[in-house]
């Protein structure tokens, strides 16, 4: 169980015959969001991100990575395919999906933040005294932190306009970029209620909306289930 400013996150890993048990639970401090009028007031759906966004690499953004460097990688495609990484370099991913994609490319991944927002990578740095610099690979509007240097390796743009969300009161955001896009299109969203993941998206949402309007969740499914309980 890990403690954060918003609550405790508990991971359960186990295995029964033919039934592996892998769960994560968030025990949030304080009150939840006010309930919606009904299920139709909840919005958390857009098309898959791969279909929604166009990504273009930033040429020359990253050279070869030596043994003294640690990489924090938000998405697998944030690491250019031409980049050569020393076997002794630390590679840390934002979540397990990115880990799997990089592993499929033959890249040894040291660890993952389990989608909790660069927490583990910061906590274990004493384990890697040879690592003297940390680079965060993300897009041009990526979330900067004091713990690493942001290196934009790609830029992103929407292929489709934002949806009409005027009939909703509760929203779940998949990323800070998505939230910024909708706030620019619909400024009145600051008066709605919002959920998002507990990592950097929660930090961005709290800055843009105020913490009284935002609660962290581990998934859109948990968000909807809690609101309709």
């Amino acid at each position: 169980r890990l403690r954060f400013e918003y609550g405790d996150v508990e991971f359960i890993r186990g295995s029964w015959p033919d039934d592996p048990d892998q769960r994560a639970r968030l025990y949030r401090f304080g009150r939840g969001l006010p309930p919606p009028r009904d299920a139709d007031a909840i919005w958390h759906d857009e098309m898959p991100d791969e279909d929604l966004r166009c990504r273009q690499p930033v040429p020359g953004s990253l050279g070869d990575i030596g043994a003294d460097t640690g990489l924090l990688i938000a998405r697998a495609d944030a690491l250019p395919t031409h980049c050569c990484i020393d076997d002794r370099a630390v590679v840390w991913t934002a979540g397990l999906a990115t880990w799997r994609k990089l592993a499929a490319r033959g890249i040894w991944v040291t660890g993952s933040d389990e989608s909790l927002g660069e927490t583990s990578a910061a906590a274990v740095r004493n384990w890697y005294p040879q690592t003297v610099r940390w680079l965060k690979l993300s897009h041009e509007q990526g979330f900067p932190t004091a713990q690493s240097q942001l290196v934009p390796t790609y830029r992103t743009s929407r292929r489709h306009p934002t949806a009409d969300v005027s009939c909703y009161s509760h929203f779940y955001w998949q990323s800070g970029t998505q939230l910024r896009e909708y706030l620019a299109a619909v400024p009145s969203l600051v008066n709605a209620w919002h959920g998002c993941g507990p990592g950097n998206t929660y930090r961005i949402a709290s800055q843009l909306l105020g913490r009284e309007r935002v609660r962290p969740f581990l998934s859109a499914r948990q968000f909807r289930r809690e609101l309709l309980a």
Side-chain angles (χ1 to χ4, degrees), residues 56-90:
Q56 296 179 325
V58 176
S61 57
L62 188 69
D64 293 343
I65 301 301
D68 64 345
T69 300
L71 297 180
L72 309 180
I73 303 179
R75 294 177 55 93
D77 50 14
L79 180 64
T81 55
H82 65 265
C83 182
C84 182
I85 302 176
D86 190 287
D87 291 340
R88 295 164 293 176
V90 176

Side-chain angles (χ1 to χ4, degrees), residues 43-65:
W43 184 87
H44 58 81
D45 290 324
E46 270 201 297
M47 65 185 66
D49 196 63
E50 289 72 17
D51 299 329
L52 179 65
R53 300 190 181 281
C54 175
R55 291 181 174 81
Q56 296 179 325
V58 176
S61 57
L62 188 69
D64 293 343
I65 301 301

Side-chain angles (χ1 to χ4, degrees), residues 138-171:
S138 187
H139 56 87
E140 290 182 321
Q141 287 77 46
F143 185 77
T145 69
Q147 301 162 341
S148 59
Q149 175 189 347
L150 178 63
V151 179
T153 57
Y154 67 97
R155 56 180 61 98
T156 179
S157 60
R158 293 181 66 96
R159 289 192 174 102
H160 305 276
T162 56
D164 179 5
V165 295
S166 58
C167 64
Y168 302 98
S169 61
H170 291 65
F171 298 83

